[in-house]
Coordinates of all heavy atoms in Angstrom, one line a residue:
Chain D
K272 N -19.8 -1.0 23.7 CA -19.5 -1.4 22.5 C -20.5 -1.1 21.4 O -21.7 -1.4 21.6 CB -19.3 -3.0 22.3 CG -18.0 -3.5 23.0 CD -17.4 -4.6 22.1 CE -15.9 -4.6 22.3 NZ -15.4 -5.8 22.8
I273 N -20.0 -0.4 20.5 CA -21.0 0.0 19.4 C -21.5 -1.3 18.7 O -20.7 -2.2 18.5 CB -20.4 0.9 18.2 CG1 -20.1 2.3 19.0 CG2 -21.4 1.2 17.2 CD1 -19.4 3.3 18.2
D274 N -22.8 -1.5 18.5 CA -23.3 -2.8 18.1 C -24.4 -2.4 17.0 O -25.0 -1.4 16.8 CB -24.0 -3.5 19.2 CG -23.9 -5.0 19.0 OD1 -23.8 -5.4 17.9 OD2 -24.0 -5.7 20.0
I275 N -24.7 -3.6 16.1 CA -25.7 -3.4 15.1 C -27.1 -3.7 15.6 O -27.3 -4.6 16.6 CB -25.3 -4.2 14.0 CG1 -25.0 -5.7 14.3 CG2 -24.1 -3.7 13.2 CD1 -24.8 -6.7 13.1
D276 N -28.1 -3.3 14.9 CA -29.5 -3.5 15.4 C -30.0 -4.9 15.4 O -30.8 -5.1 16.2 CB -30.4 -2.7 14.3 CG -30.6 -1.3 14.6 OD1 -29.6 -0.7 15.3 OD2 -31.5 -0.5 14.3
S277 N -29.4 -5.8 14.7 CA -29.8 -7.2 14.7 C -29.3 -7.9 15.8 O -29.6 -9.1 16.1 CB -29.4 -7.8 13.4 OG -27.9 -7.8 13.2
S278 N -28.3 -7.4 16.6 CA -27.7 -7.9 17.8 C -28.7 -8.3 18.9 O -29.6 -7.2 19.2 CB -26.5 -7.3 18.3 OG -25.5 -7.3 17.4
P279 N -28.8 -9.3 19.5 CA -29.6 -9.6 20.7 C -29.3 -8.5 21.6 O -28.0 -8.1 22.0 CB -29.3 -10.9 21.3 CG -28.5 -11.7 20.1 CD -27.9 -10.6 19.3
L280 N -30.3 -8.0 22.4 CA -30.2 -7.0 23.4 C -29.7 -7.8 24.8 O -30.6 -8.4 25.3 CB -31.3 -6.1 23.6 CG -31.1 -4.8 24.3 CD1 -32.2 -3.9 24.1 CD2 -30.9 -5.0 25.8
S281 N -28.5 -7.6 25.1 CA -28.0 -8.3 26.2 C -27.4 -7.5 27.2 O -27.0 -7.8 28.3 CB -27.1 -9.5 25.8 OG -25.9 -8.9 25.2
G282 N -27.1 -6.2 26.9 CA -26.3 -5.4 27.8 C -27.4 -4.6 28.9 O -28.6 -4.6 28.5
N283 N -26.8 -4.2 29.9 CA -27.5 -3.3 30.7 C -27.0 -1.9 30.8 O -27.6 -1.2 31.6 CB -27.6 -4.0 32.3 CG -26.3 -4.4 32.7 OD1 -25.2 -3.9 32.1 ND2 -26.2 -5.5 33.5
L284 N -26.2 -1.7 29.9 CA -25.9 -0.2 29.6 C -26.0 0.1 28.1 O -25.3 -0.5 27.4 CB -24.5 0.2 30.2 CG -24.0 1.6 29.7 CD1 -24.9 2.7 30.6 CD2 -22.6 1.8 30.1
I285 N -27.1 0.8 27.7 CA -27.2 1.1 26.4 C -26.9 2.6 26.1 O -27.6 3.5 26.8 CB -28.8 0.7 26.0 CG1 -29.1 -0.6 26.4 CG2 -29.0 1.1 24.5 CD1 -28.4 -1.6 25.6
D286 N -26.1 2.9 25.1 CA -26.0 4.3 24.7 C -26.4 4.7 23.4 O -26.3 3.9 22.3 CB -24.4 4.5 24.8 CG -23.8 4.4 26.3 OD1 -24.5 5.0 27.0 OD2 -22.7 3.8 26.5
L287 N -27.1 5.8 23.3 CA -27.5 6.3 22.0 C -26.6 7.5 21.4 O -26.5 8.4 22.2 CB -29.0 6.8 22.1 CG -30.0 5.7 21.8 CD1 -30.1 4.7 23.0 CD2 -31.5 6.4 21.6
L288 N -25.9 7.1 20.3 CA -24.9 8.0 19.9 C -25.3 8.7 18.5 O -25.4 8.1 17.6 CB -23.5 7.3 19.7 CG -23.2 6.4 20.9 CD1 -22.2 5.4 20.5 CD2 -22.8 7.2 22.1
P289 N -25.5 10.1 18.6 CA -25.8 10.8 17.3 C -24.5 10.8 16.4 O -23.5 10.4 16.9 CB -26.2 12.2 17.9 CG -25.4 12.3 19.2 CD -25.3 10.9 19.8
P290 N -24.6 11.5 15.3 CA -23.4 11.6 14.4 C -22.2 12.1 15.2 O -22.4 13.1 16.0 CB -23.9 12.4 13.3 CG -25.3 12.3 13.2 CD -25.9 12.1 14.6
F291 N -21.0 11.6 14.9 CA -19.8 12.0 15.5 C -19.3 13.1 14.9 O -19.3 13.4 13.7 CB -18.8 10.8 15.5 CG -19.3 9.5 15.9 CD1 -18.6 8.3 15.5 CD2 -20.4 9.4 16.7 CE1 -19.0 7.1 16.0 CE2 -20.9 8.1 17.0 CZ -20.1 6.9 16.7
S292 N -18.8 14.1 15.8 CA -18.3 15.4 15.1 C -17.1 15.8 16.1 O -17.0 17.1 16.3 CB -19.3 16.4 15.2 OG -20.0 16.5 16.5
G293 N -16.2 14.9 16.4 CA -15.0 15.3 17.1 C -13.9 16.0 16.1 O -14.1 16.1 14.9

Side-chain angles (χ1 to χ4, degrees):
Chain D
K272 282 222 155 117
I273 293 173
D274 208 342
I275 52 175
D276 275 24
S277 57
S278 291
L280 198 159
S281 58
N283 43 30
L284 177 67
I285 306 293
D286 293 314
L287 271 71
L288 308 169
F291 307 165
S292 56

